[in-house]
Amino acid sequence: WRSYWLHVSLEWMPSLLGSLAFVFSSLMYLAEVTHSYNPLARPHSLSLGYAICMLNLLGSALFTAGSMGYFARALPRLAVAAAAAGGGEGPHGGHAWGWQYEVSEWGVRFPFGLGSVLFLIGSIGSLVEVMSEPNAAVAVAPNDGKSA
């Protein structure tokens, strides 16, 4: 029982807090793109930056949903009791049984997987956006050999 809550506090609570921080940063990025703190405000013109922002916002919301999905599970003593009563092993081994397996698949793994794909598409879009800007070249000061 104690190890369960230790596991939750050391692994899943930081995941949830980090996901919420990603949502906050995505909302700040949305405010920068739309020039409004209203998250429902549409930009003056649709752009690649707005699409990237929405991908990141949706990805971070899915990460938050996946982090919260871990908390929707039976307590360990109930899982042990169900296994002892003939609940046995889950479809893929381990002690995932019944609705716990469904929550694990669709409430945790699916949001994390889809959120990761959205972040990947957003990062590729960010790379395209940066490389397509006319002032993408970085000015480098010449090194005259003197230390600053």
Side-chain angles (χ1 to χ4, degrees):
W1 173 255
R2 185 179 298 183
S3 66
Y4 168 75
W5 288 109
L6 182 65
H7 177 72
V8 165
S9 63
L10 292 178
E11 184 175 344
W12 290 101
M13 192 57 78
S15 174
L16 178 61
L17 295 175
S19 298
L20 290 172
F22 273 126
V23 169
F24 178 74
S25 67
S26 296
L27 287 172
M28 292 298 100
Y29 183 31
L30 182 63
E32 191 274 328
V33 169
T34 61
H35 305 290
S36 171
Y37 286 107
N38 179 3
L40 301 176
R42 295 195 44 134
H44 299 294
S45 63
L46 295 179
S47 64
L48 180 59
Y50 181 72
I52 293 166
C53 177
M54 294 310 292
L55 286 169
N56 286 341
L57 182 59
L58 186 57
S60 59
L62 285 168
F63 267 49
T64 302
S67 295
M68 289 189 305
Y70 184 76
F71 295 104
R73 59 179 296 197
L75 295 174
R77 68 178 188 279
L78 299 176
V80 169
E89 302 278 326
H92 298 289
H95 293 288
W97 49 275
W99 64 271
Q100 241 187 325
Y101 173 75
E102 298 298 326
V103 168
S104 176
E105 285 293 311
W106 297 106
V108 177
R109 292 183 181 134
F110 182 74
F112 276 123
L114 184 58
S116 298
V117 169
L118 293 176
F119 279 129
L120 177 65
I121 294 169
S123 64
I124 292 170
S126 293
L127 183 63
V128 169
E129 183 182 38
V130 166
M131 297 307 238
S132 66
E133 290 180 0
N135 298 328
V138 177
V140 178
N143 186 0
D144 60 0
K146 298 178 185 176
S147 62

